[in-house]
Amino acid sequence: MKSQLIIGLLSLIPFLPLCAQENWELVNPKPSANSGKDIHFISNDKGFIITDTEILETSNSGTNWHKKQDISSGNDINFNGSLGFIVGDFGSVLRSKDSGVSWQTVNIGTGSNLNTVNIIDQNNIIISSSNSILKSTDGGASWTEKTIPNVFVKKTYFTSTLVGHAACSNGTILKTVNGGNTWYVTESVNFVPSDYISIYFVNENVGFASREHHSIYKTTDGGEHWTETTYALEAVYAFFFLNENVGYICGELGVIEKTTDGGANWTFVGFQTGLVYATGMFGLYFLTEDIGFATGLRGRILKTTNSGSSWTAYSPNYNDIIQLGFPSENTGYALVDKKIFKTSDAGNNWSFVNSPNFNDYGVPAGIDFVDEHIGFVFTGGQGGSGQIFKTTDGGNSWTQLNNVLEPFHADYNSIDFINEQVGFVSKQESFLDTIYKTEDGGTSWAAVFPGNFGQMQFISTQIGYARSHSFTDKIYKTTDGGLNWSSVYEVSEDIRAFHFINESVGYLVGDDALAYKTIDGGATWQKMTNIPYGYFVEVRFFSKTIGYVADDYGKLYKTTNGGNTWQQSTESYQIKDIAIVNDDVYLGGTFGKILKRSLGLTQTNEPDYSVSKYLIFPNPATGDVQIAAKENQHITSVRLMDISGRQVLKSDHPVDPAHLSLNVSNLPRGVYFVEICGENSIEQAKLIVQ
């Protein structure tokens, strides 16, 4: 089925974990969408990444990563031989004595936020907070705390049990030569901004420190004196040196740079062209000068095998999902910026497919696939830069269709194809908004209605619904194949999305808790009063009772009773689109996040006798489905619809008004809905085709 485009921007807020109401599987990016805070390898094969709430692990040098376990907090990870520590906020400390196979909580006697762990040897460990260090001389069994007065420590680095350095706010670097009993200032300035960010030592003499916003300082005498050597492109969050000359830095806006002359000069070796917002990298680790890893925002994990000349991302996409579309159970598409990604295994793995030749100004706005192979993508919203493309081979190649929609200088706000041949597009240009229709797969188009629709959904070849794009907010309906449209709902608030599950039952949502339902094809609308307050930007229903809405903060809510009550399904997950195929629900969000869960409604071997006046059997079915009227009932017609509400089979005026059969052997497996019309009633039930 097809998923409709969300109109509106969602906030870029920090990633938060799923809440407990429903279990969602993250299928992209893997293994986590949480920001990587630090990375450490204990061998050429085995390495760890920590996020705020997880330990990630690889045992094959980054070929595969998986989530090892959840943790309460993580800011820094370090190993010395088989001994490892992870420190985080609120005094969180984990220790491993077996090379990270298992981790145990260690109480070090503080609730402070911890920023660094230094493991000098198997016995001596030094952990720092913003105003103290905590020392152990027995491998972490016992701890003593020493205060660092009058500063705010950002990061520490100890080269021995006695000698250590602290990078602090307000332009200050401190040094201790007696294990933290006393400290003295080795660098200080009296201007702002001047906070130090990180500090790192190659050996006991040579070290580096980064200061906001993009300064790098170096010492060659064990931190007694510091010299500002060069400027990085952006703020530096982490250093990694293989020797005194060869090293790497990473930081804000995706910066990764390399030096081969001890930091006198730096060369950009980043993973993307230029500097990009919200792509900061926080952790670096190199096994050799050629082979290295980086981790940071959006859950990004990178690997290079050629000294940073190129990087391979562990997941195919870390950018915002504009729209998802699943034309079949296994095949789905994701529109991302000016790229299209595809899955052929029900969302478990995604790969980039050939994208259309978008012009410089066109903004991809939506996709529409009618089956696994045939689909359309359109651009718009940039003042005459709209384009429409078609693929017939699952995205491997694309043909531009704009030349049939003269004039060229137009934007396209929505598209909807009923089948391979029949489709509609809403074209917007100055003073001439028009709905076009094609009956030959987009080869030729005819103007059918003067309007501008931000969303269209056809239930059959004759009946469709649309949402106005601007000026007035209305829901329109057509009953003659799109030739004429009439308003069936109008409101002063902005309507952001709607969804019909069949010709009769539909839902709309919008600004200021706007949420309405119709059960008579739009003739009347009922307000859903119990919905949580929000500005809703997407709605998608599986059936008359089960559905989801997402607000402009990306929170997802679920109903199981047709909108009478709602329960929050995820935390602030920045959801931008909802797609449902069979009983699988997919969520597309910011920073490449795609989540999946099964509603579990096909996992049954029991017949569905939920209708009160008719029997439907067998259910699940593979061939003929029998529909029998109960006592004193008659059948006038039966329709079978897929999950998107599209009619796939119909039987009118059966010879025997008490019984008829439908053959479903040619239909794809999945969930369908049987609509049975009697003399004075209409009933609907779920049918599973296996």
Side-chain angles (χ1 to χ4, degrees), residues 153-325:
V153 177
K154 297 295 191 69
K155 199 77 173 175
T156 59
Y157 199 104
F158 277 75
T159 57
S160 70
T161 56
L162 297 177
V163 180
H165 309 266
C168 309
S169 61
N170 298 325
T172 302
I173 299 179
L174 301 179
K175 180 178 180 179
T176 181
V177 293
N178 54 17
N181 291 323
T182 59
W183 297 80
Y184 59 92
V185 176
T186 58
E187 176 69 19
S188 181
V189 298
N190 58 6
F191 55 82
V192 293
S194 60
D195 287 0
Y196 278 92
I197 303 168
S198 186
I199 192 165
Y200 176 93
F201 273 74
V202 183
N203 52 46
E204 63 182 8
N205 293 315
V206 179
F208 294 86
S210 60
R211 198 189 73 195
E212 60 181 359
H213 290 290
H214 46 71
S215 298
I216 299 177
Y217 284 74
K218 181 178 180 179
T219 181
T220 57
D221 59 4
E224 294 296 330
H225 301 88
W226 294 85
T227 302
E228 187 172 5
T229 59
T230 186
Y231 287 96
L233 290 173
E234 290 292 337
V236 176
Y237 297 145
F239 298 86
F240 193 95
F241 275 74
L242 293 116
N243 53 54
E244 289 188 8
N245 293 315
V246 179
Y248 295 84
I249 57 175
C250 68
E252 182 71 2
L253 304 185
V255 162
I256 302 178
E257 296 183 76
K258 178 183 179 181
T259 182
T260 57
D261 55 12
N265 297 281
W266 295 88
T267 302
F268 181 78
V269 291
F271 59 93
Q272 57 196 356
T273 302
L275 307 177
V276 180
Y277 173 69
T279 61
M281 304 302 290
F282 301 130
L284 273 176
Y285 200 97
F286 274 75
L287 300 172
T288 67
E289 183 176 346
D290 292 328
I291 301 173
F293 300 84
T295 187
L297 286 176
R298 309 185 181 192
R300 184 176 269 114
I301 303 173
L302 304 173
K303 180 179 181 180
T304 180
T305 57
N306 53 17
S307 301
S309 295
S310 63
W311 295 83
T312 300
Y314 186 66
S315 289
N317 173 53
Y318 295 94
N319 295 321
D320 293 0
I321 306 295
I322 298 174
Q323 188 181 353
L324 294 172

Side-chain angles (χ1 to χ4, degrees), residues 494-510:
D494 288 337
I495 302 172
R496 299 298 186 184
F498 72 87
H499 182 229
F500 276 77
I501 62 170
N502 55 40
E503 294 178 2
S504 302
V505 181
Y507 298 81
L508 66 84
V509 296

Side-chain angles (χ1 to χ4, degrees), residues 610-625:
S610 58
V611 289
S612 61
K613 299 179 180 179
Y614 308 93
L615 299 177
I616 303 171
F617 58 93
N619 191 7
T622 57
D624 289 332
V625 176

Side-chain angles (χ1 to χ4, degrees), residues 315-458:
S315 289
N317 173 53
Y318 295 94
N319 295 321
D320 293 0
I321 306 295
I322 298 174
Q323 188 181 353
L324 294 172
F326 275 80
S328 70
E329 179 182 23
N330 291 315
T331 302
Y333 296 86
L335 178 61
V336 181
D337 296 331
K338 293 188 176 182
K339 295 182 178 181
I340 295 175
F341 293 83
K342 181 179 181 179
T343 178
S344 299
D345 58 2
N348 292 317
N349 294 281
W350 294 81
S351 60
F352 172 72
V353 294
N354 189 31
S355 294
N357 185 23
F358 297 115
N359 60 40
D360 292 338
Y361 302 101
V363 177
I367 54 174
D368 186 24
F369 276 80
V370 297
D371 59 32
E372 295 181 356
H373 307 291
I374 299 173
F376 302 82
V377 60
F378 69 95
T379 69
Q382 290 294 310
S385 57
Q387 297 171 287
I388 303 176
F389 298 89
K390 178 182 180 180
T391 181
T392 58
D393 56 10
N396 293 321
S397 62
W398 295 84
T399 302
Q400 187 171 344
L401 302 179
N402 290 77
N403 59 334
V404 300
L405 289 177
E406 297 295 343
F408 170 77
H409 294 290
D411 292 324
Y412 303 101
N413 292 317
S414 63
I415 192 170
D416 189 66
F417 269 74
I418 302 172
N419 51 47
E420 178 181 349
Q421 300 298 323
V422 181
F424 297 82
V425 64
S426 175
K427 179 181 73 68
Q428 176 185 1
E429 61 177 330
S430 299
F431 310 110
L432 185 62
D433 296 336
T434 309
I435 309 302
Y436 284 85
K437 179 178 182 179
T438 180
E439 296 182 308
D440 55 13
T443 301
S444 61
W445 299 78
V448 294
F449 187 74
N452 183 10
F453 295 153
Q455 178 186 345
M456 292 182 286
Q457 182 193 358
F458 273 80

